[in-house]
């Protein structure tokens, strides 16, 4: 190191990897943990890891990211001022808007990256981007070091679900410049299982490959997998007879963390549903993932996801004050990446709703858990009559009613009597029209009980609402509409 405040990329790579106890898969398939030394580490050891990496990260960003060095100088901070986790509130928050503007001012990738463009062009691994549906896509470059962690985080999640060599994975989602599908692709290779890339196919062709290749692990976005199960039923395919799916791996939406959706996924495919979440900008691989102990417990409560605390510092904070909330309380996520060579984000405002659970897990892992996984993005929620409406709560009610189909829509509007929340739903195929009014009343009563406000229910003919048929990780189902006038 040239000074106490600086650290080379080689030193950072070595430190980031130093806490990994086992990169390769366990020799014994009966071993329940991929990396037991870290997955069952005492809480004091996890805190120690986070503090050592945080102090090194600040030095690394000071040395290699002009963007962050300017942020530190503006706050009058130097790396030596950061002693541990108690100093986190002194460090600057990072937002996607800042990175977007930085990329415009410092093309092509922005100077928040720690690997210069010319070096990445010579020694890099991959470029990916955000979807860019409402704004200019943000571009991100990654290195072979980063790929190693994508493999590792995904492989240990696959192992935690009970997936072993001998399984065949079928990936329904498109690849493209998006991280999720590449992560599971490389993680499956590290684990030693073949994978079928089904992103370029339509639903009928995917079902053909799923059946003919006897795939046992189905991967995709929950909304699409439900649509795919409906299409399989229409073709007369029977789980267990015509398909061999034993594991359903989902991401991008709450999915298996919503009990009624988990039930529908599992009944539709005959397998066990698993959840994983990450974030394109700040942690594009296995940030949170469920385990076999959670996934086999049934439907009595939302599943809990383990958070990779050896590789990230996740703060759950009040969205107004950015102060930490208590365990069990909902807040938004702020994530510090402790492993990336190219983009180790510092206090990135991920913005998803989450609540910590500190109850021990039956699997023996000591990472804290996200109760119910990610509960949805704050900007995808609705506040109606002072009540925060989280789509996952509505989803659980609707998908718990067997006379209803999977799709729904939430609409907030302003009428003569004030704010109104309308839920549009569809009857399941075969539900007689004369039963629709009773089903509608039953749904309205259930929603009022869960949400605490009266909801208008509108029943639409089956097939009216748009289906999630793209199979693209970045084409998440959008079910929220706010028709109220903007404030002011």
């Amino acid at each position: 190191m040239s000074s106490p405040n600086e650290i080379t990329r080689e030193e950072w790579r070595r430190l980031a990897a130093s806490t990994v106890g086992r990169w390769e898969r366990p020799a014994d398939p009966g071993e329940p943990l991929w990396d037991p030394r870290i997955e069952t580490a005492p809480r004091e050891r996890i805190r120690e890891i986070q503090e050592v990496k945080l102090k090194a990260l600040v030095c690394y960003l000071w040395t290699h990211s002009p963007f962050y060095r300017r942020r530190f100088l503006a706050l009058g901070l130097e790396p030596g001022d950061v002693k541990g986790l108690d100093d986190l509130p002194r460090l600057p928050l990072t937002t996607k808007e800042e990175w977007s503007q930085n990329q415009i001012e410092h093309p092509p990738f922005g100077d928040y990256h720690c690997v210069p463009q010319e070096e990445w062009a010579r020694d890099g691994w991959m470029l990916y981007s955000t979807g860019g549906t409402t704004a200019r896509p943000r571009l991100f470059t990654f290195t072979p070091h980063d790929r190693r962690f994508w493999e590792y985080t995904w492989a240990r999640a696959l192992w935690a679900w009970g997936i072993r060599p001998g399984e065949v994975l079928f990936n329904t989602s498109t690849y493209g410049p998006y991280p999720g599908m590449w992560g599971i692709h490389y993680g499956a290779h590290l684990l030693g299982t073949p994978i079928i890339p089904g992103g370029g196919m339509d639903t009928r062709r995917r079902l053909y490959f799923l059946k003919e290749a006897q795939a046992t692990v189905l991967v995709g976005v929950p909304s699409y997998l439900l649509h795919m199960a409906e299409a399989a039923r229409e073709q007369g395919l029977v789980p267990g007879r015509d398909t061999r799916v034993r594991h359903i791996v989902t991401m991008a939406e709450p999915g298996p963390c919503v009990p009624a959706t988990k039930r529908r996924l599992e009944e539709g495919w005959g397998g066990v549903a698993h959840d994983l979440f990450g974030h394109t900008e700040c942690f594009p691989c296995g940030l949170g993932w469920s385990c076999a102990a959670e996934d086999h417990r049934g439907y009595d409560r939302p599943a809990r996801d383990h958070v990779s605390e050896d590789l990230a510092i996740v703060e759950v904070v009040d969205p107004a004050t950015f102060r930490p909330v208590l365990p069990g309380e909902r807040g938004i996520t702020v994530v510090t990446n402790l492993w990336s060579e190219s983009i180790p984000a510092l206090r990135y405002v991920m913005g998803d709703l989450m609540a910590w659970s500190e109850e021990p897990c039956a699997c023996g892992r000591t990472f804290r858990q996200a109760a119910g996984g990610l509960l949805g993005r704050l900007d995808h929620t609705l506040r109606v009559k002072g009540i925060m409406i989280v789509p996952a709560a509505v989803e659980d009610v609707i998908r718990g009613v067997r006379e209803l189909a999977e799709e729904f829509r939430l609409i907030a509007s302003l009428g003569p009597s004030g704010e109104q929340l309308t839920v549009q739903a569809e009857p399941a195929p075969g539900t007689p029209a004369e039963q629709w009014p009773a089903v509608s009343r039953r749904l309205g009563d259930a929603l009022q009980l869960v949400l605490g406000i009266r909801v208008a229910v509108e029943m639409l003919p089956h097939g009216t609402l748009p289906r999630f048929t793209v199979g693209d990780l970045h084409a998440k189902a959008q079910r929220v509409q706010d028709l109220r006038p903007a404030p002011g």
Side-chain angles (χ1 to χ4, degrees):
M1 297 173 65
S2 57
S3 81
N5 284 343
E6 297 182 353
I7 184 173
T8 67
R9 285 208 297 276
E10 181 181 359
E11 289 170 324
W12 171 248
R13 289 195 300 264
R14 186 165 58 246
L15 176 63
S18 66
T19 55
V20 176
R22 178 160 59 196
W23 289 100
E24 303 301 324
R25 73 170 185 252
D28 179 7
E31 167 62 59
L33 305 175
W34 181 280
D35 197 349
R37 190 184 75 176
I38 188 62
E39 293 179 58
T40 61
R43 294 298 307 169
E44 311 84 67
R45 173 57 180 155
I46 294 173
R47 181 181 177 92
E48 178 188 1
I49 288 170
Q50 291 182 331
E51 294 199 317
V52 169
K53 288 188 175 182
L54 176 64
K55 289 186 285 186
L57 171 63
V58 173
C59 290
Y60 182 65
L61 293 172
W62 174 274
T63 309
H64 298 284
S65 171
F67 169 85
Y68 278 111
R69 187 162 187 154
R70 291 193 299 270
R71 300 292 304 279
F72 295 148
L73 290 172
L75 293 173
L77 287 173
E78 292 190 3
D81 298 329
V82 178
K83 309 298 183 184
L85 295 180
D86 291 339
D87 292 317
L88 266 178
R90 303 178 61 191
L91 296 172
L93 295 165
T94 306
T95 67
K96 66 179 181 181
E97 292 78 14
E98 289 171 328
W99 275 5
S100 294
Q101 184 61 33
N102 180 259
Q103 197 170 94
I104 294 172
E105 296 172 352
H106 301 275
F109 304 132
D111 65 0
Y112 54 84
H113 285 68
C114 292
V115 177
Q117 196 274 342
E118 59 273 13
E119 293 188 31
W120 172 78
R122 184 186 66 236
D123 302 320
W125 165 50
M126 180 180 174
L127 177 144
Y128 73 85
S129 76
T130 56
T133 55
T134 59
R136 171 176 171 162
R138 293 179 298 285
L139 306 179
F140 304 93
T141 61
F142 276 85
T143 68
H145 165 90
D146 296 324
R147 180 182 66 192
R148 198 178 188 197
F149 277 91
W150 285 30
E151 296 170 342
Y152 169 72
T153 57
W154 260 105
R156 77 178 181 183
L158 289 162
W159 196 269
W161 298 324
I163 297 171
R164 297 291 186 269
E167 309 278 6
V168 176
L169 280 72
F170 187 93
N171 182 5
T172 65
S173 299
T174 56
Y175 280 57
Y178 311 126
M181 296 305 104
W182 291 104
I184 193 169
H185 192 105
Y186 282 94
H189 285 181
L190 181 60
L191 187 144
T193 57
I195 188 164
I196 304 167
M201 308 174 187
D202 61 17
T203 298
R204 180 174 292 275
R205 192 160 177 81
R206 286 173 182 145
L207 288 170
Y208 171 81
F209 273 82
L210 182 74
K211 176 184 176 182
E212 295 302 313
Q214 298 186 8
T216 58
V217 181
L218 182 61
V219 182
V221 179
S223 296
Y224 177 71
L225 297 185
L226 287 171
H227 164 78
M228 194 173 170
E230 184 178 27
R233 289 192 296 271
E234 291 172 355
Q235 292 186 27
L237 299 179
V238 177
R241 186 193 71 187
D242 303 307
T243 61
R244 299 286 184 267
V245 173
R246 299 193 303 160
H247 298 277
I248 308 150
V249 175
T250 73
M251 65 205 82
E253 298 171 2
C257 290
V258 178
T261 299
K262 177 178 171 66
R263 184 191 294 273
R264 288 205 177 193
L265 284 167
E266 294 181 347
E267 290 178 349
W269 289 108
V272 179
H274 315 291
D275 184 55
L276 180 138
F277 66 80
H279 192 264
T280 299
E281 287 96 328
C282 60
F283 205 107
C285 44
L287 177 57
W289 31 275
S290 59
C291 65
E294 279 293 301
D295 295 336
H296 285 86
R297 63 170 291 116
Y299 314 108
D300 61 323
R301 63 162 172 76
R304 297 169 181 156
D305 288 346
H306 296 277
V307 175
S308 297
E309 293 185 284
D310 56 325
L311 302 175
I313 299 169
V314 178
E315 304 169 68
V316 181
V317 301
D318 182 284
T321 65
F322 282 87
R323 294 175 180 168
V325 300
L326 296 174
E329 294 182 353
R330 290 177 179 172
I332 62 169
T333 46
V334 175
V335 176
T336 296
N337 178 307
L338 299 175
W339 56 267
S340 178
E341 177 182 13
S342 187
I343 315 175
L346 176 67
R347 299 200 75 206
Y348 190 92
V349 182
M350 181 170 153
D352 286 88
L353 291 168
M354 196 178 103
W356 282 121
S357 170
E358 299 194 342
E359 294 184 21
C361 183
C363 73
R365 292 176 177 84
T366 51
F367 296 151
R368 287 187 297 174
Q369 294 175 285
L374 293 185
L375 305 173
R377 291 192 57 80
L378 183 64
D379 53 7
H380 290 174
T381 62
L382 291 169
R383 187 170 287 278
V384 181
K385 297 181 179 179
I387 303 295
M388 180 180 288
I389 309 298
V390 179
V394 178
E395 177 183 336
D396 191 35
V397 174
I398 288 177
R399 291 180 176 167
V401 179
R402 293 190 177 274
E403 295 90 345
L404 294 175
E406 284 83 9
E407 292 302 328
F408 65 94
R409 180 184 288 155
L410 305 180
I411 302 174
S413 59
L414 192 60
S417 58
E419 291 183 315
Q420 174 68 57
L421 178 65
T422 300
V423 173
Q424 295 179 332
E426 297 179 356
T431 302
E434 57 269 22
Q435 292 185 14
W436 291 13
V439 174
S440 177
R441 287 192 297 272
R442 183 149 50 94
L443 175 59
D445 291 342
L447 289 170
Q448 182 178 17
L449 183 64
V450 170
L451 302 180
I453 60 172
R454 193 65 189 168
V455 176
V457 175
E458 183 178 351
M459 294 288 284
L460 304 174
H462 184 80
T464 302
L465 293 172
R467 260 47 182 175
F468 185 85
T469 59
V470 180
D472 183 343
L473 181 63
H474 281 259
K476 304 171 189 176
Q478 300 297 323
R479 299 189 174 96
V480 177
Q481 292 184 356
D482 195 340
L483 305 181
R484 295 170 294 184

